[in-house]
Amino acid sequence: YRSVRLFTVGKGTTSKTPLRALGSLYHNWTAASSALVGGLAWKEFSAVCWLFGKELSNELKVPVGLISSSWGGTQIQVWMPKAANEACHQGSWSGDRYNAMIAPFA
């Protein structure tokens, strides 16, 4: 699957304000292969994301880039912008994971 590229955002960075660049990177853009996706180095990548991307590539016949930005055991509010939390009456969550791990490439 040379037309599928994988990118994994690193964990460990949070921010009270949106960042312009990622604070940490686990894996830079890499061509997918069964050795990479099934190997220990890629245990952080979502199997569902990989299978969806592989299917998209097969069906659409176009290159596909998959971004994994996750942190297990976190509440959804930390992945939402502060304004979204306020609009949904979720209190004053700062969206610190969104700010650090989504906003830089959104």
Side-chain angles (χ1 to χ4, degrees):
Y1 288 94
R2 306 303 289 168
S3 65
V4 178
R5 300 286 192 265
L6 309 174
F7 181 92
T8 306
V9 176
K11 297 176 184 164
T13 303
T14 63
S15 178
K16 297 290 182 192
T17 59
L19 300 178
R20 295 185 66 119
L22 290 172
S24 62
L25 177 67
Y26 191 67
H27 284 112
N28 208 341
W29 288 108
T30 306
S33 70
S34 58
L36 282 176
V37 175
L40 291 176
W42 286 93
K43 67 182 179 182
E44 299 290 323
F45 205 86
S46 165
V48 172
C49 184
W50 159 243
L51 291 172
F52 178 71
K54 186 172 99 171
E55 191 66 25
L56 273 178
S57 178
N58 287 339
E59 291 295 318
L60 301 176
K61 309 288 191 253
V62 297
V64 174
L66 304 173
I67 299 172
S68 177
S69 185
S70 61
W71 194 322
T74 56
Q75 295 177 299
I76 188 64
Q77 290 89 343
V78 301
W79 294 98
M80 297 166 51
K82 184 176 183 173
N85 280 310
E86 290 169 353
C88 293
H89 307 290
Q90 293 298 307
S92 60
W93 293 84
S94 68
D96 60 347
R97 301 309 190 291
Y98 172 85
N99 292 334
M101 298 172 68
I102 303 292
F105 55 85

